[in-house]
Amino acid sequence: MSNTTELLASAPLGPLTLPNRLVMAPLTRNRAEADGTPTPLMATYYAQRAAAGLIVAEAATPNAVGQTYPNITAVHSARHVAGWRQVTDAVREAGGRMFLQLQHGGRVGHPATSGLTPVAPSPVPLPETIFTPQGHRPAVVPREMSEEDIRTTVADFARAARNALDAGFEGVEVHSANGHLLHQFLAANTNRRTDGYGGSVAARIRFTAEVVEAVVTEIGAERVGLRVSPGNTVNGIAEGETEELYPALTERLGGLGLAYLHLVYADPDAPVFRKIRAGWPGVLIANPVLGEELSTDAVRRASERLLAAGADLIALGRPFLANPDLVERLRLGAPLNPVRDRYFMYVGGATGYTDYPALGDGTAQPSSASSVALDGPRVA
């Protein structure tokens, strides 16, 4: 069978059988209520994309201090759970399956947004401004987490995972990527600790490992995924020892029987990709590096390269964002809608969110000719 056929073939994932190997990557879209509660508009958005083999819903914070930007989702209150239940019910009714990404922003946060001073492994501020309800503001120096803070945060992740299952998700993805809290513990420039959580590779992977292990204890390994982004410098990250960090992390977690490991911006030619694939015993989801101009052929080629290199599932962000019927477009070789960068984040509403047309809608395809990217690099 050809690789394209393989991309659209069914695949096992823990207790699930996915109808295809295409995963909708988690995409921060800032359409929740101010307190993090998902909205009915979000239920429409995700249900439109239910043909994906798996949807990994956008990052939800496990506690209040973990909030990154305005109007992002959360999963630490009964109201959040009820809001997410509307989303998962809509997706399930449309034939889909969902995991929820759990993300703590760490130093990527601001008191103007959360009302709290951000926490981080060390008091090293984000080297750039951050978006708040009052617009872009200078980052603040985060408070260094005590070991009690670390234990509390680990417990918050486990509780959030239980909440996610109560909200109707099939499982959760622990986010240890893209410069957020768990990634900050991995990176040498943001983790300057001298206790058991900093310094050596074994110490720097400890927090991520303990979060994953706690979540596994709470809901079962077959319902837990982990997302990492080796070498990614977003949000001011400089890891150091990248090719040692990730094999060490996957070795520690490889025996748990996780549902999957998810690699962001996966390069099948990179040594770290090959090391991770060789050492990871389970399902590997790979998110390909795609150029600014998306096309059916470009998406297909990038996906096929990763499948040939050993990926089991392919996670796509922008293609799903702009094409609610992406699976059908790839099956038919039909053109893709262009992405309107202006509506990635911060703007709210249905425009650039639920109004992308499916094939046969008879709606004029949206134009990106006059778009201005507001925060494109933070969207996969």
Side-chain angles (χ1 to χ4, degrees), residues 150 176 182 185-188 191 193-211 213 239-253:
I150 288 172
S176 186
L182 276 64
F185 270 87
L186 294 177
N191 183 348
R193 304 175 71 96
T194 58
D195 61 4
Y197 290 92
S200 69
V201 165
R204 280 152 50 201
I205 68 172
R206 180 180 170 188
F207 180 59
T208 290
E210 289 182 353
V211 168
E213 289 159 356
E239 290 171 345
E241 302 173 288
T242 295
E243 293 194 20
E244 288 74 44
L245 275 171
Y246 291 95
L249 180 62
T250 54
E251 181 180 0
R252 173 160 174 173
L253 299 177

Side-chain angles (χ1 to χ4, degrees), residues 62-63 65-66 103-106 119-120 143 145-160 181-182 185 207 210-211 214-215:
N63 55 28
V65 74
Q103 172 192 278
H104 189 302
V119 297
R143 179 175 63 81
M145 295 173 73
S146 67
E147 292 199 15
E148 178 60 29
D149 291 327
I150 288 172
R151 288 190 290 272
T152 298
T153 303
V154 169
D156 288 344
F157 269 93
R159 189 176 307 108
L181 180 64
L182 276 64
F185 270 87
F207 180 59
E210 289 182 353
V211 168
V215 171

Side-chain angles (χ1 to χ4, degrees), residues 77-312:
S77 77
R79 192 164 188 266
H80 299 149
V81 170
W84 276 121
R85 172 61 75 171
Q86 296 180 63
V87 176
T88 60
D89 283 349
V91 170
R92 189 166 288 110
E93 185 176 348
R97 297 135 300 278
M98 298 185 81
F99 271 44
L100 177 64
Q101 186 183 79
L102 304 180
Q103 172 192 278
H104 189 302
R107 70 175 186 168
V108 184
H110 199 282
T113 301
S114 68
L116 300 166
T117 299
V119 297
S122 301
V124 182
L126 191 71
E128 56 193 63
T129 61
I130 185 167
F131 191 78
T132 75
Q134 290 79 47
H136 278 273
R137 300 275 294 273
V140 300
V141 177
R143 179 175 63 81
E144 180 171 310
M145 295 173 73
S146 67
E147 292 199 15
E148 178 60 29
D149 291 327
I150 288 172
R151 288 190 290 272
T152 298
T153 303
V154 169
D156 288 344
F157 269 93
R159 189 176 307 108
R162 173 57 58 189
N163 288 345
L165 264 59
D166 291 345
F169 288 96
E170 303 285 356
V172 301
E173 176 178 281
V174 174
H175 193 40
S176 186
N178 296 357
H180 297 291
L181 180 64
L182 276 64
H183 199 186
Q184 291 161 28
F185 270 87
L186 294 177
N189 74 319
T190 49
N191 183 348
R192 301 179 183 177
R193 304 175 71 96
T194 58
D195 61 4
Y197 290 92
S200 69
V201 165
R204 280 152 50 201
I205 68 172
R206 180 180 170 188
F207 180 59
T208 290
E210 289 182 353
V211 168
V212 172
E213 289 159 356
V215 171
V216 164
T217 298
E218 183 67 31
I219 65 171
E222 73 281 1
R223 297 190 180 277
V224 180
L226 172 65
R227 196 183 205 212
V228 295
S229 56
N232 193 348
T233 60
V234 70
N235 286 317
I237 288 292
E239 290 171 345
E241 302 173 288
T242 295
E243 293 194 20
E244 288 74 44
L245 275 171
Y246 291 95
L249 180 62
T250 54
E251 181 180 0
R252 173 160 174 173
L253 299 177
L256 293 179
L258 298 184
Y260 63 81
L261 178 67
H262 183 176
L263 295 186
V264 181
Y265 303 134
D267 178 0
D269 296 325
V272 71
F273 176 91
R274 294 196 293 269
K275 283 185 180 180
I276 289 171
R277 177 63 285 184
W280 181 250
V283 170
L284 184 69
I285 301 178
N287 167 227
V289 179
L290 297 172
E292 289 300 315
E293 292 299 325
L294 298 180
S295 69
T296 306
D297 284 345
V299 171
R300 177 183 55 78
R301 286 195 303 270
S303 299
E304 288 176 359
R305 285 189 68 223
L306 284 167
L307 288 176
D312 299 291

Side-chain angles (χ1 to χ4, degrees), residues 336-354:
L336 302 184
N337 294 324
V339 176
R340 287 175 286 173
D341 292 350
R342 177 180 176 85
Y343 299 101
F344 266 152
M345 298 172 70
Y346 306 153
V347 291
T351 303
Y353 191 60
T354 56

